[in-house]
């Protein structure tokens, strides 16, 4: 890491790879931030689609530093490189296909400064598609306890956040998070053991030592398309990472036995959803995942039949609801930002 850390400076790390069509929007949204004490570290990971040519337009901006890698390393390696060369007290990982409100960094810094024990400040994200049409937001799909807790700007203790993270990755888009630099000194870098869940793993580690601060305003724009890391990571790899991350957390001392049962049931229920899809594609890797779960947390396998029953019982109601929503689709067309 950089030897000179500048108080108040926000280092924005942009890992660029083959999303040339979104780069102007990404870069403009960062350059136009109302919080002026920033450095924008753009690292291109051997893009082949003209991304470098787009980024060259911004190379002369005084806040921008452009680094062109000679060898593709993947998102985790590039993000860790960004941390190593950064000089800020805070770090934002701005995904190259996302964008944000001009006040996002200012609001996140203000939230962090109000909560001295917070390691991360994060905000609500608007979910958009390839054409910038709004599909919803990440708050609406969270569990009830998180929605009730985060109606307004709020402080989230590390123990609360740990439990929220066991239910789902409540910071589904890293672009929405401001992280204190010394969190990386405490918990280490992004793990190369994960392809799609490395950020989720980092949040768990930070929740061991630090609290969190939430900004309820939707200041980040989280883009959904077929080539995001999570969209491109399917099947066996997705559930391998999912089980390794969550089942290793369930065994920790922070949870009561009733909480362990609850979270085991939740993890197995999510697996049951995959197993009971009409395509039955989830059964392709069934034996592999049974063996993996047995290795990680064999008690969870005892809960799997209950999770499958739960899914089968609720399926008719969810099917009716889905059909009703589909009939109303013309009324629910997303609006452009």
């Amino acid at each position: 890491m950089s030897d000179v850390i500048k108080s108040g400076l926000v280092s924005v790390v942009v890992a660029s790879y083959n999303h040339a069509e979104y780069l102007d929007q990404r870069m403009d949204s960062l350059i136009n931030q109302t919080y002026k004490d920033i450095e924008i570290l753009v690292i291109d990971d051997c893009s082949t689609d003209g991304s470098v040519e787009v980024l060259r337009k911004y190379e002369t901006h005084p806040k921008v530093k452009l680094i062109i890698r000679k060898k593709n390393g993947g998102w985790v390696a590039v993000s860790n490189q960004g941390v190593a060369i950064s000089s800020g007290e805070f770090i934002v990982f701005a995904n190259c296909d996302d964008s944000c409100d001009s006040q996002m960094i200012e609001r996140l810094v203000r939230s962090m400064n109000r909560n001295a024990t917070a390691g991360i400040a994060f905000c609500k994200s608007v979910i958009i598609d390839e054409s910038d049409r709004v599909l919803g937001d990440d708050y609406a799909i969270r569990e009830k306890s998180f929605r009730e807790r985060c109606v307004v700007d709020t402080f989230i203790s590390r123990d609360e956040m740990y439990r929220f993270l066991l239910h789902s990755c409540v910071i589904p888009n890293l672009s929405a998070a401001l992280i204190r630099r010394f969190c990386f000194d405490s918990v280490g870098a992004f793990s190369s053991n994960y392809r799609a869940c490395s950020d989720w793993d980092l949040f768990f580690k930070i929740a061991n030592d630090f609290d969190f601060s939430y900004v309820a305003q939707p200041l980040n724009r989280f883009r959904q398309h077929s080539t995001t890391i999570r969209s491109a990571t399917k099947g066996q790899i997705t559930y391998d990472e999912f089980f390794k991350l969550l089942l290793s957390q369930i065994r920790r001392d922070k949870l009561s036995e009733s909480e362990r049962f609850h979270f085991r049931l939740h993890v197995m229920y999510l697996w049951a959803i995959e197993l009971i899809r009409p395509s039955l594609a989830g059964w392709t890797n069934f034996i592999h995942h049974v063996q993996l779960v047995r290795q990680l947390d064999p008690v969870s396998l005892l809960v799997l039949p209950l999770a499958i029953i739960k899914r089968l019982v609720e399926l008719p109601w969810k099917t009716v609801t889905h059909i009703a929503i589909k009939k109303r689709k013309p009324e629910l067309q997303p609006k452009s930002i």
Side-chain angles (χ1 to χ4, degrees):
M1 292 190 183
S2 174
D3 294 331
V4 181
I5 306 304
K6 298 177 183 178
S7 177
L9 178 68
V10 174
S11 298
V12 183
V13 177
V14 181
S16 168
Y17 182 69
N18 283 352
H19 287 310
E21 67 273 33
Y22 305 127
L23 283 176
D24 280 323
Q25 189 176 8
R26 169 75 282 175
M27 294 300 295
D28 290 343
S29 73
L30 295 174
I31 287 171
N32 293 321
Q33 287 294 300
T34 57
Y35 189 85
K36 299 304 182 184
D37 195 6
I38 65 173
E39 61 174 0
I40 304 171
L41 308 171
V42 186
I43 307 173
D44 188 84
D45 196 23
C46 301
S47 294
T48 58
D49 68 341
S51 290
V52 173
E53 287 70 24
V54 176
L55 293 170
R56 291 288 186 198
K57 297 186 300 183
Y58 298 92
E59 192 173 15
T60 57
H61 192 282
K63 294 185 182 298
V64 175
K65 180 179 181 180
L66 177 60
I67 299 158
I68 312 298
R69 287 174 60 97
K70 295 181 179 179
K71 181 179 180 182
N72 179 269
W75 178 85
V76 169
V78 172
S79 297
N80 287 335
Q81 180 182 354
V83 174
I85 64 174
S86 64
S87 301
E89 178 185 2
F90 308 107
I91 300 177
V92 170
F93 296 92
N95 293 337
C96 63
D97 51 348
D98 298 327
S99 63
C100 59
D101 185 276
S102 61
Q103 295 186 9
M104 187 187 82
I105 291 178
E106 181 179 358
R107 291 288 304 278
L108 291 176
V109 170
R110 192 187 311 161
S111 177
M112 189 81 90
N113 287 337
R114 280 199 302 261
N115 298 289
T117 60
I120 293 181
F122 67 106
C123 66
K124 183 186 296 185
S125 294
V126 172
I127 300 173
I128 60 175
D129 68 7
E130 296 97 327
S131 303
D132 287 343
R133 293 182 302 170
V134 176
L135 306 176
D137 63 57
D138 66 336
Y139 171 84
I141 59 175
R142 299 275 76 86
E143 63 170 313
K144 183 180 178 182
S145 61
F146 181 87
R147 286 185 279 112
E148 290 176 345
R149 187 73 174 80
C150 298
V151 174
V152 296
D153 293 3
T154 191
F155 172 85
I156 305 173
S157 73
R158 60 200 70 183
D159 287 341
E160 284 180 292
M161 193 62 176
Y162 171 75
R163 286 162 174 78
F164 286 147
L165 287 169
L166 273 175
H167 193 275
S168 64
C169 186
V170 293
I171 316 177
N173 185 218
L174 191 58
S175 297
L178 177 82
I179 306 175
R180 289 193 196 273
R181 182 193 183 83
F182 61 65
C183 287
F184 292 97
D185 297 327
S186 175
V187 308
F190 289 100
S191 172
S192 59
N193 292 330
Y194 297 99
R195 178 180 175 186
C197 295
S198 186
D199 52 352
W200 198 353
D201 172 63
L202 180 73
F203 301 148
F204 269 119
K205 291 175 181 175
I206 292 175
N208 281 331
D209 300 324
F210 302 95
D211 302 312
F212 289 69
S213 187
Y214 180 71
V215 175
Q217 188 175 346
L219 301 171
N220 180 59
R221 297 187 183 96
F222 177 18
R223 195 179 304 277
Q224 299 288 289
H225 54 84
S226 60
T227 56
T228 62
I229 293 176
R230 284 200 173 104
S231 296
T233 308
K234 300 290 187 182
Q236 178 178 323
I237 295 174
T238 299
Y239 278 86
D240 280 0
E241 294 193 4
F242 180 69
F243 290 139
K244 287 175 183 177
L245 179 62
L246 293 183
L247 294 181
S248 64
Q249 295 294 332
I250 284 174
R251 297 198 308 270
R252 294 180 52 198
D253 293 338
K254 284 189 175 186
L255 300 175
S256 66
E257 286 304 319
S258 62
E259 285 178 318
R260 283 196 182 89
F261 172 80
H262 169 79
F263 287 117
R264 281 181 175 121
L265 178 61
H266 177 66
V267 173
M268 293 299 100
Y269 169 78
L270 295 177
W271 187 15
I273 293 175
E274 179 71 9
L275 293 174
I276 303 174
R277 291 188 190 280
S279 67
L280 299 180
W283 291 95
T284 304
N285 300 305
F286 180 73
I287 299 300
H288 166 80
H289 284 134
V290 166
Q291 293 171 343
L292 178 61
V293 173
R294 182 186 294 128
Q295 176 185 345
L296 294 168
D297 184 55
V299 177
S300 290
L301 288 176
L302 301 177
V303 183
L304 179 60
L306 183 59
I308 292 174
I309 292 170
K310 178 183 176 183
R311 178 59 179 169
L312 289 171
V313 167
E314 71 175 19
L315 200 55
W317 167 250
K318 286 191 176 288
T319 302
V320 169
T321 304
H322 176 72
I323 292 171
I325 291 173
K326 206 170 182 181
K327 286 181 178 179
R328 293 172 55 208
K329 194 173 183 181
E331 304 171 24
L332 299 174
Q333 285 296 322
K335 299 177 181 178
S336 178
I337 284 180

